[in-house]
Amino acid sequence: MKDQTMYIPTFRDVLDAHERIRPYIHRTPVLTSTYLNGLTGAELFFKCESFQKAGAFKARGASNAVFGLTEEQAAKGVATHSSGNHGLSLSYAAGRRGIPCTVVMPRTAPQAKKDAVKGYGGRVVECEPSTSSREAVFAEVVAETGAEFVHPYNDPRVIAGQGTCSRELNEQVEGLDAVIAPIGGGGMISGTCLTLSNVAPNIKIYAAEPKQADDAARSFKAGHIIADDAPETVADGLKVPLKELTWHFVRNHVTDILTAEEDEIVDAMKTIWKRMKIVMEPSSAVPLATILRNPNVFKGKRVGVIITGGNVDLDKLPWMKG
Amino acid sequence: MKDQTMYIPTFRDVLDAHERIRPYIHRTPVLTSTYLNGLTGAELFFKCESFQKAGAFKARGASNAVFGLTEEQAAKGVATHSSGNHGLSLSYAAGRRGIPCTVVMPRTAPQAKKDAVKGYGGRVVECEPSTSSREAVFAEVVAETGAEFVHPYNDPRVIAGQGTCSRELNEQVEGLDAVIAPIGGGGMISGTCLTLSNVAPNIKIYAAEPKQADDAARSFKAGHIIADDAPETVADGLKVPLKELTWHFVRNHVTDILTAEEDEIVDAMKTIWKRMKIVMEPSSAVPLATILRNPNVFKGKRVGVIITGGNVDLDKLPWMKG
């Protein structure tokens, strides 16, 4: 596992990943909006990973990890800790291969998230909502099952899988000037850097981050990883910090990291729902929020915008009261 | 105008409409859901008119009417009475042609709907919320402007335009056994009948209606038009009655009209939002609700499901409390 973590994936790994996962993922559509083009002065191309299997781009990386295992490894299954889309996606991918999947989640995580993992055939093991408990429980799971750990983002197999998204986008839209995606741990941005630096090195890559969880933006300025201490943001998929592998890609290939305030994120989300008629997560609205905040960066440009996922609680939308 | 109303459109009119409106409408995508296929035992193909211009299939018929006008007619503009998607769509189409559009709406209609019409360049003239006031105000508008009346559905130009939707669907999906669409006034169903009876007469056509506004189902059984008296349903696009032209198509080509209860419609809507990640109207959920209620009719069949529109008030979703 140590070797896996330190290996820096290449574009060859993205191509291999794409062949490997093709039967298990959607080639998601790219949507446009005349209204949003008018609002921003840019030409926006939305790559809708909200329509991806399991509802998020994470199905790409998880499928690559699962279907790249040897038979011997696969028999022992996979495991991860995640209360978000990665746990769901790993459970989806393991279900497609027919191997066991264990997801360690805080007992305080929403029941709907636990049910969703189980819905794809995964097993949920609960821990206390603390890092020490999570690590202890996770170590037990691995000791007991021998399962392969698939980290949500700091894993070359996962990054190579995420890199297939911008490969499709670059095939679907000609002459892009820039691509922008949200940044949390940096898996999607790293995959985007890996692919575009190889196939279209002139496309600028921007990362978008909530101001209230701007560890990546501050790391980018400082030149080394700074981790936030328990940030709070409506974009709950973006709270996690960069790790060494994703930092490698961010540092070397990202043009800038832009941030947006909470109310700007919610406004952008509601605008996308209203005008584009797609259900997507608060995290996925951060790029549009930053484009609206920095119109001069994007004006007149052809910009790919990655809508990373669509898993929201329809009973707790951020513009609902109470 | 009398001539227009009584003329029964032919498939030639659908082909002409398709050529005429192509620059102004989207060829909307067809989406599928493994989850919903499992739930229903059918293979469902969702034709997503929620992604159509102005957010609903109505842009097809309205564009056909507007772009089919002579220069002389066009100079005087178009007019209609509608507080829903037709008013919005007519305003959109008129805006694209650069001609005036007047929409008569009850003063009690939501401000957001009035603003949406104005957003596309249309003029809103308010009436009292009664049929007599609407007719009086509308007559004044026509007398004053000489505008061409475009009825929301009982108009051959509108029906021919709506018929382009199932033409696309039939090109996009091979071997359909059935198509199902919601029925209100019957414009979409009539267009579907017109097209499919010509290009794929073996495909069965089902209409789906809220039980609380089941005038079409009762008309279908009785053999003559029965109009509901001010029905109340969450599927607010489906409250209007059949008229002579749409009744002609329903009577001659529809296999059956199925109904669903209010809670079934809301559940189906939420399920589609949650699993398919699309924003769509309560009206558009009625077909899935009736499929779930009548599994044996659709089991093992390849079924086209028309998602008619996506214009909802995001602050008043039917599963929100209060």
Side-chain angles (χ1 to χ4, degrees):
Chain A
M1 250 160 42
K2 197 77 182 172
D3 291 339
Q4 285 283 358
T5 309
M6 302 310 294
Y7 170 71
I8 294 176
T10 67
F11 185 56
R12 181 74 248 165
D13 295 315
V14 176
L15 296 175
D16 290 346
H18 220 162
E19 281 309 301
R20 186 178 289 130
I21 69 181
R22 209 181 293 277
Y24 314 107
I25 63 159
H26 289 303
R27 185 179 171 96
T28 53
V30 173
L31 301 183
T32 61
S33 163
T34 308
Y35 175 83
L36 289 177
N37 287 349
L39 198 66
T40 58
E43 274 187 278
L44 306 181
F45 300 90
F46 293 89
K47 175 71 171 162
C48 293
E49 291 292 297
S50 42
F51 295 136
Q52 190 49 269
K53 288 287 181 185
F57 75 89
K58 300 265 185 181
R60 295 175 184 268
S63 296
N64 190 42
V66 163
F67 284 93
L69 295 177
T70 63
E71 287 298 324
E72 194 185 357
Q73 288 172 315
K76 294 179 188 162
V78 288
T80 198
H81 44 75
S82 159
S83 54
N85 287 329
H86 175 67
L88 197 59
S89 296
L90 194 66
S91 179
Y92 160 76
R96 291 301 298 269
R97 185 156 179 182
I99 65 173
C101 174
T102 307
V103 181
V104 173
M105 292 172 87
R107 62 170 172 72
T108 51
Q111 190 58 40
K113 300 224 168 187
K114 296 174 191 166
D115 291 345
V117 167
K118 291 178 196 164
Y120 283 119
R123 176 174 72 122
V124 172
V125 173
E126 297 189 354
C127 63
E128 293 304 307
S130 72
T131 306
S132 58
S133 167
R134 187 193 71 196
E135 288 177 353
V137 170
F138 189 74
E140 272 173 47
V141 164
V142 172
E144 174 203 306
T145 59
E148 177 76 9
F149 174 38
V150 182
H151 190 278
Y153 52 91
N154 200 47
D155 182 310
R157 304 166 295 185
V158 170
I159 290 172
Q162 320 307 29
T164 62
C165 176
S166 50
R167 185 174 179 232
E168 289 174 9
L169 174 60
N170 187 55
E171 289 167 0
Q172 289 165 308
V173 185
E174 277 182 25
L176 284 173
D177 299 301
V179 167
I180 185 166
I183 190 163
M188 168 51 75
I189 280 288
S190 294
T192 304
C193 291
L194 173 53
T195 293
L196 294 183
S197 64
N198 278 276
V199 301
N202 291 331
I203 298 179
K204 289 186 176 175
I205 298 164
Y206 293 89
E209 194 174 37
K211 188 128 190 156
Q212 287 191 191
D214 67 345
D215 57 292
R218 288 187 290 120
S219 303
F220 191 71
K221 280 206 187 93
H224 57 87
I225 298 180
I226 299 172
D228 265 333
D229 188 29
E232 262 315 313
T233 169
V234 65
D236 56 358
L238 305 181
K239 293 179 184 176
V240 289
L242 295 169
K243 297 267 186 190
E244 64 262 47
L245 254 187
T246 52
W247 171 239
H248 164 83
F249 287 101
V250 168
R251 189 180 46 183
N252 287 306
H253 298 293
V254 166
T255 294
D256 204 358
I257 300 182
L258 306 171
T259 60
E261 301 286 354
E262 296 294 296
D263 58 342
E264 295 169 331
I265 297 168
V266 173
D267 284 353
M269 177 179 172
K270 202 172 173 186
T271 299
I272 291 175
W273 282 49
K274 186 172 173 191
R275 303 301 303 217
M276 298 188 63
K277 318 295 182 187
I278 59 175
V279 169
M280 32 71 90
E281 302 171 0
S283 302
S284 302
V286 183
L288 179 63
T290 64
I291 291 171
L292 288 167
R293 224 180 129 101
N294 299 276
N296 292 332
V297 176
F298 299 98
K299 201 165 224 164
K301 300 282 198 299
R302 290 166 69 81
V303 184
V305 182
I306 299 176
I307 301 284
T308 42
N311 294 324
V312 286
D313 184 343
L314 293 172
D315 293 313
K316 284 186 189 159
L317 298 172
W319 53 82
M320 287 181 180
K321 279 157 195 92
Chain B
M1 247 162 43
K2 198 78 182 175
D3 292 337
Q4 284 285 358
T5 310
M6 304 310 294
Y7 171 72
I8 293 175
T10 66
F11 185 56
R12 181 74 249 165
D13 295 316
V14 177
L15 296 176
D16 290 346
H18 219 161
E19 281 309 302
R20 187 177 288 130
I21 69 181
R22 209 181 294 277
Y24 314 107
I25 62 158
H26 289 303
R27 185 180 171 93
T28 53
V30 173
L31 301 183
T32 60
S33 162
T34 308
Y35 176 81
L36 290 177
N37 287 349
L39 199 64
T40 59
E43 271 187 282
L44 305 181
F45 300 90
F46 293 88
K47 175 71 171 163
C48 293
E49 290 293 296
S50 41
F51 295 136
Q52 190 49 271
K53 288 287 180 186
F57 75 88
K58 300 264 184 181
R60 296 175 184 268
S63 296
N64 190 41
V66 163
F67 284 93
L69 296 177
T70 64
E71 286 299 324
E72 194 185 357
Q73 289 172 314
K76 295 178 186 160
V78 287
T80 198
H81 44 75
S82 159
S83 54
N85 287 330
H86 175 67
L88 197 61
S89 297
L90 194 66
S91 179
Y92 160 75
R96 291 301 298 267
R97 185 156 178 182
I99 66 174
C101 173
T102 307
V103 181
V104 173
M105 292 173 85
R107 62 171 171 72
T108 51
Q111 190 58 40
K113 299 224 167 184
K114 296 174 191 166
D115 292 343
V117 168
K118 292 177 195 164
Y120 283 119
R123 177 175 72 122
V124 171
V125 173
E126 295 189 355
C127 63
E128 293 303 307
S130 72
T131 306
S132 57
S133 167
R134 187 193 71 197
E135 288 178 353
V137 170
F138 189 74
E140 273 174 46
V141 164
V142 171
E144 173 202 308
T145 59
E148 176 76 10
F149 175 37
V150 182
H151 190 278
Y153 52 90
N154 200 48
D155 182 309
R157 303 165 296 185
V158 170
I159 290 171
Q162 320 307 28
T164 61
C165 176
S166 49
R167 185 173 179 232
E168 289 173 9
L169 174 60
N170 187 55
E171 288 168 0
Q172 291 166 306
V173 185
E174 278 182 27
L176 284 173
D177 299 300
V179 167
I180 185 165
I183 190 163
M188 169 49 77
I189 280 288
S190 294
T192 304
C193 290
L194 173 52
T195 293
L196 294 184
S197 64
N198 278 276
V199 301
N202 292 330
I203 298 179
K204 290 188 176 172
I205 299 164
Y206 292 89
E209 196 174 36
K211 187 129 193 156
Q212 286 191 192
D214 66 345
D215 57 292
R218 288 186 291 120
S219 304
F220 191 70
K221 280 207 187 94
H224 58 87
I225 298 179
I226 299 172
D228 266 333
D229 190 28
E232 263 314 313
T233 168
V234 66
D236 57 358
L238 305 181
K239 291 179 184 177
V240 288
L242 295 169
K243 297 268 186 190
E244 63 263 46
L245 255 187
T246 51
W247 171 237
H248 164 84
F249 286 102
V250 168
R251 189 181 44 184
N252 287 305
H253 298 293
V254 166
T255 294
D256 203 358
I257 301 183
L258 307 171
T259 60
E261 302 286 355
E262 296 294 295
D263 58 342
E264 294 169 331
I265 296 168
V266 174
D267 284 353
M269 177 179 172
K270 202 172 173 186
T271 299
I272 291 173
W273 282 48
K274 186 174 172 189
R275 301 303 302 218
M276 298 187 63
K277 318 294 182 189
I278 59 175
V279 169
M280 32 71 89
E281 303 171 358
S283 302
S284 303
V286 183
L288 179 63
T290 64
I291 291 171
L292 288 168
R293 225 181 129 100
N294 299 276
N296 292 332
V297 176
F298 300 98
K299 200 165 224 163
K301 300 281 198 298
R302 289 166 70 82
V303 184
V305 182
I306 299 176
I307 301 286
T308 42
N311 294 325
V312 286
D313 183 344
L314 293 172
D315 293 313
K316 284 185 189 160
L317 298 173
W319 54 82
M320 287 180 178
K321 279 155 197 91

